[in-house]
Amino acid sequence: MSPIKKIAILTSGGDAPGMNAAIRAAVRGAIFNKLEVMGSIRGYQGLIDNNLVPMDSQSVSNIIQQGGTILKSARSKQFLTPEGRQIAYDNLKKNKIDALVVIGGDGTFTGARVFSGEHNIPIVGIPGTIDNDLYGTDYTIGYDTALNTVVEAVDKIRDTASAHSRLFFIEVMGRDAGFLALSSAIASGAETVLVPEINTGYKKLDDFLKNSFKKQKSSSIVLVAEGDKLSGGAIKIAERVNKEHPDYDARVTILGHIQRGGSPSGMDRVMASRMGVSAIEALLDDQKSVMIGMVNGEIVYVPFNQALKNKKPLPPKQLELIDILSI
């Protein structure tokens, strides 16, 4: 028999569509297995503040379709200190909590790994980030919804681009990873993409603009990941293009936080539901310091060390696909 009788659930870092679906699944999965559940309001800071609330099946009713997170999120500077983590652990013990389910990205899992190592508490992570940059899983919760949000926006921008024969640089989220930008570029028919992982510099874009203009395309769309340091971001690169390629009328759209909001897609809801229940099953199976991942449609357990140490590579075939389809 597992010694776990009571768990706490928290969300941390940037919100992602589908987090509520994961909370719902974890709560109901725990109740199904006769566990008590509490929710930590505002992530790790909630553990420090002892802001823990009981959760039951009714408390997660009618949230599967909601974006954001009902448990709120925060980045806790206090939790970065050993003293802060000790307070958090003391509050867990005070509330007789035996294990944690944490939903978030690499920062969330880094904190979980340290916390689990210091205090020997079982923690299972559920990957929730629109960046889709966590090693060991094909997809993260929120990525599919964000992708659809970007594609819908780009489709609308292309209407204006075509009407005025303009070049648009569209900046999407992706501070350290270009997965969202790359997939969005393919799905929206963009002419090229700039991502932080690929050191292409300005030359490739310069060559593309010369060739594209010669073909007299009615419009051109370039997706730029916000983390693309070489170009300096969409605004700076548009300024340079307007100076060096006056035949183009380059404009910029920064999509910003609309990518993180909205009702989750069907794919994100199903994936979050599977991962939420699997997180409970992992705890009952005496797993600790692991992330729930999905590879080829199957649930896998990925150690935090592995998920955080390894960098997830961009799919080379997708990069090649951009070049093929932009001719």
Side-chain angles (χ1 to χ4, degrees):
M1 294 289 291
S2 171
I4 295 174
K5 302 296 182 185
K6 189 175 184 180
I7 70 164
I9 301 172
L10 63 83
T11 53
S12 178
D15 60 302
M19 280 186 165
N20 281 327
I23 293 169
R24 172 182 179 269
V27 168
R28 293 188 171 177
I31 293 170
F32 180 84
N33 286 282
K34 306 297 189 293
L35 302 179
E36 292 184 68
V37 190
M38 298 193 81
S40 175
I41 307 300
R42 299 186 70 244
Y44 291 121
Q45 191 61 43
L47 299 183
I48 294 171
D49 297 337
N50 199 28
N51 194 0
L52 295 155
V53 297
M55 302 189 77
D56 56 21
S57 183
Q58 189 62 32
S59 66
V60 293
S61 179
N62 200 33
I63 68 169
I64 193 171
Q65 78 281 7
Q66 296 178 17
T69 162
I70 63 166
L71 292 177
K72 310 300 181 185
S73 184
R75 290 180 169 89
S76 174
K77 291 183 178 179
Q78 199 173 354
F79 193 78
L80 297 176
T81 68
E83 295 78 12
R85 293 190 293 272
Q86 183 63 54
I87 294 171
Y89 179 73
D90 292 341
N91 285 331
L92 289 178
K93 293 297 100 181
K94 186 187 303 181
N95 288 278
K96 298 182 179 179
I97 293 169
D98 307 305
L100 283 175
V101 172
V102 300
I103 306 169
D106 54 358
T108 301
F109 296 159
T110 298
R113 178 183 60 179
V114 174
F115 192 42
S116 178
E118 285 179 343
H119 299 288
N120 195 32
I121 183 168
I123 305 179
V124 171
I126 298 175
T129 168
I130 68 169
D131 291 339
N132 196 37
D133 59 345
L134 286 167
Y135 181 87
T137 184
D138 291 340
Y139 295 101
T140 58
I141 295 169
Y143 171 67
D144 184 67
T145 305
L147 172 60
N148 282 288
T149 298
V150 172
V151 170
E152 183 180 358
V154 174
D155 287 348
K156 293 177 179 179
I157 292 168
R158 189 182 285 278
D159 291 343
T160 293
S162 297
H164 297 275
S165 298
R166 286 175 179 158
L167 164 65
F168 267 86
F169 290 95
I170 303 175
E171 187 171 290
V172 302
M173 285 185 167
R175 183 180 58 199
D176 301 308
F179 292 94
L180 183 59
L182 177 57
S183 293
S184 299
I186 294 171
S188 63
E191 278 68 32
T192 191
V193 62
L194 298 175
V195 293
E197 293 92 336
I198 307 300
N199 185 12
T200 54
Y202 184 78
K203 185 179 184 303
K204 183 177 179 181
L205 177 64
D206 186 59
D207 291 341
F208 157 75
L209 292 175
K210 291 173 181 176
N211 294 331
S212 177
F213 186 75
K214 288 177 181 178
K215 290 183 289 188
Q216 295 183 339
K217 284 193 174 185
S218 62
S219 66
S220 292
I221 300 290
V222 176
L223 269 290
V224 182
E226 64 179 340
D228 179 53
K229 302 296 192 301
L230 290 171
S231 69
I235 293 177
K236 288 187 177 180
I237 198 168
E239 291 173 351
R240 182 171 179 180
V241 167
N242 280 328
K243 181 179 178 180
E244 298 182 9
H245 297 272
D247 293 320
Y248 282 98
D249 183 9
R251 302 297 177 93
V252 175
T253 297
I254 299 175
L255 296 184
H257 285 80
I258 67 166
Q259 297 159 87
R260 291 227 301 242
S263 181
S265 67
M267 178 177 171
D268 273 330
R269 297 184 198 193
V270 171
M271 186 164 54
S273 297
R274 291 182 63 188
M275 288 182 169
V277 170
S278 296
I280 302 302
E281 293 173 346
L283 287 174
L284 294 175
D285 194 34
D286 295 326
Q287 297 286 336
K288 61 184 298 186
S289 293
V290 297
M291 177 191 79
I292 302 297
M294 189 170 290
V295 177
N296 296 325
E298 298 297 327
I299 292 292
V300 296
Y301 299 159
V302 185
F304 283 151
N305 283 338
Q306 185 177 343
L308 294 169
K309 179 178 66 175
N310 297 305
K311 185 172 178 60
K312 185 176 179 179
L314 284 177
K317 285 292 184 181
Q318 289 192 25
L319 289 165
E320 181 183 351
L321 195 57
I322 285 287
D323 293 333
I324 294 173
L325 297 177
S326 64
I327 61 172

